[in-house]
Amino acid sequence: MLYVVATPIGNLGDISPRALEVLENCDLIAAEDTRHTQKLLSHFDIKKPLVSYYEHNKVARGPLLIEKLHSGENIALVSDAGTPGISDPGADLIKAATDEGLEVSMIPGPVAGIMALVLSGLPTDKFVFEGFIGTDNKKKQEFADMIIEEMRTVIIYEAPHRLLKTLEFLQQHIGDRRVAVCRELTKTHEEVLRGTATEHISHFTQIEPRGEFVLVIEGADKKTSRSHNEEATADDIFNKFNELSDKYASEGIRRKKNDIIKEVAAFFNIPKNQAYDMYETVNQQTQGGL
Ligand code: SAM
């Protein structure tokens, strides 16, 4: 039997009695990082053989583990943190085992993305999990095309050194939608910051992002969907620009005209140049009339 065992995402108190029971009684533990998991096992005084199963050995190691499962061994699969299979290589072993008709059971537990979703205060009835958006330009563009229109809450994982870049990327594509930045969940420095991408950028420009992060992004509302936006008029663009300018001024946030235009374009889901031209048309008329 393959046991998929969720482990804590920070606070060791979150390990479940069932997880400990399976780890104590299995024949072998397949771990993403054996040194990391050894610390967890030592903490709970569990002595078990460990093998590594991670991104760069999964192709070779997977069939060996499947062979052991066929011969009747009980293997516990654990990742560095949280639930194996969620944004980690565990998913491939689970698929291989199910493809082979092997029995798979699970000891459920923490998932960083779900904890962040619940704490975000954003709608939880419908949501999308996107994992890491990564650095590949084509994939980022696909993500951008999706998020502009996605009406469900979107959950993503991000590394601290990429947090600011991702917030800037989001700012360009989601305008002033709400984003919850969830940091170091279940750990001493747990923090949930709720605001817009712009507000988070100004925060993390002053305070270096440290630790582990999940971002939970509010879905688009109906009025920002593509079909509606095709109807956006130059007045709509002009008014939205002024609304955002006033908002930033009242919050004491300095933003360049071009950045606000980008945000307006994202809000109405139209190209930036088009938003700029539409804004200028009304702006010049307004100034001409003064
Ligand atoms: N399997 C894990 C789960 O169930 O959530 C996720 C594994 S993924 C390789 C690791 C990423 O999850 C981190 O880079 C971070 O984005 C997120 N993460 C894990 N633990 C976290 C925590 N305590 N607080 C915030 N984010 C966390």
Side-chain angles (χ1 to χ4, degrees):
M1 166 92 84
L2 176 66
Y3 290 95
V4 181
V5 182
T7 56
I9 54 170
N11 190 323
L12 292 183
D14 293 334
I15 193 114
S16 73
R18 276 188 72 213
L20 291 177
E21 196 184 312
V22 167
L23 293 173
E24 265 160 12
N25 294 318
C26 65
D27 298 306
L28 180 70
I29 299 173
E32 192 179 353
D33 179 339
T34 51
R35 274 181 306 177
H36 184 96
T37 299
Q38 189 54 62
K39 285 187 200 149
L40 178 84
L41 296 179
S42 302
H43 181 87
F44 292 105
D45 204 18
I46 297 173
K47 293 178 186 69
K48 273 291 146 184
L50 275 170
V51 290
S52 67
Y53 178 81
Y54 67 107
E55 199 52 45
H56 300 292
N57 77 353
K58 66 182 186 186
V59 176
R61 190 52 59 83
L64 298 176
L65 293 172
I66 293 291
E67 214 177 289
K68 285 181 183 295
L69 288 167
H70 271 302
S71 68
E73 286 195 34
N74 288 318
I75 300 180
L77 172 67
V78 298
S79 50
D80 280 358
T83 295
I86 302 299
S87 277
D88 64 38
D92 296 275
L93 187 62
I94 298 163
K95 181 178 182 306
T98 54
D99 286 352
E100 295 269 330
L102 288 159
E103 269 190 293
V104 181
S105 185
M106 179 172 179
I107 317 305
V111 181
I114 295 297
M115 177 165 175
L117 170 70
V118 171
L119 287 179
S120 70
L122 294 169
T124 55
D125 51 344
K126 290 182 183 174
F127 62 90
V128 185
F129 175 71
E130 281 281 324
F132 292 93
I133 55 176
T135 48
D136 179 85
N137 281 341
K138 188 165 169 273
K139 287 202 177 126
K140 280 182 86 171
Q141 190 51 51
E142 280 166 15
F143 177 83
D145 292 343
M146 178 280 291
I147 199 136
I148 285 168
E149 296 212 302
E150 180 55 67
M151 289 167 70
R152 294 168 292 185
T153 304
V154 179
I155 306 166
I156 61 171
Y157 285 166
E158 195 47 282
H161 64 280
R162 286 214 297 262
L163 183 78
L164 262 176
K165 275 223 156 2
T166 295
L167 286 168
E168 281 161 6
F169 174 79
L170 287 176
Q171 183 192 46
Q172 285 173 22
H173 297 97
I174 62 166
D176 60 359
R177 272 194 241 162
R178 289 177 293 167
V179 178
V181 176
C182 306
R183 187 174 88 86
E184 293 288 86
L185 296 172
T186 77
K187 302 184 199 175
T188 314
H189 299 292
E190 175 177 311
E191 186 173 39
V192 180
L193 302 167
R194 301 175 185 86
T196 61
T198 309
E199 287 161 352
H200 295 312
I201 290 167
S202 109
H203 174 82
F204 285 108
T205 306
Q206 289 158 44
I207 294 165
E208 190 193 342
R210 291 224 174 110
E212 299 195 276
F213 288 89
V214 182
L215 305 188
V216 186
I217 304 153
E218 182 180 27
D221 65 20
K222 279 206 185 89
K223 46 177 214 274
T224 64
S225 75
R226 199 175 288 276
S227 55
H228 179 95
N229 295 338
E230 278 161 6
E231 295 158 15
T233 64
D235 278 337
D236 292 336
I237 304 289
F238 184 75
N239 292 337
K240 185 72 191 167
F241 180 94
N242 287 331
E243 179 196 315
L244 287 174
S245 302
D246 291 348
K247 182 172 101 78
Y248 290 127
S250 72
E251 290 167 358
I253 299 172
R254 288 168 67 94
R255 296 214 61 205
K256 290 190 200 124
K257 177 178 172 184
N258 242 346
D259 288 336
I260 301 182
I261 292 280
K262 264 192 218 162
E263 217 177 308
V264 173
F267 183 85
F268 287 104
N269 189 25
I270 55 173
K272 199 188 111 203
N273 289 349
Q274 187 184 337
Y276 188 86
D277 291 346
M278 288 166 97
Y279 167 79
E280 279 303 332
T281 310
V282 182
N283 190 32
Q284 277 159 25
Q285 279 166 5
T286 312
Q287 287 180 1
L290 286 175

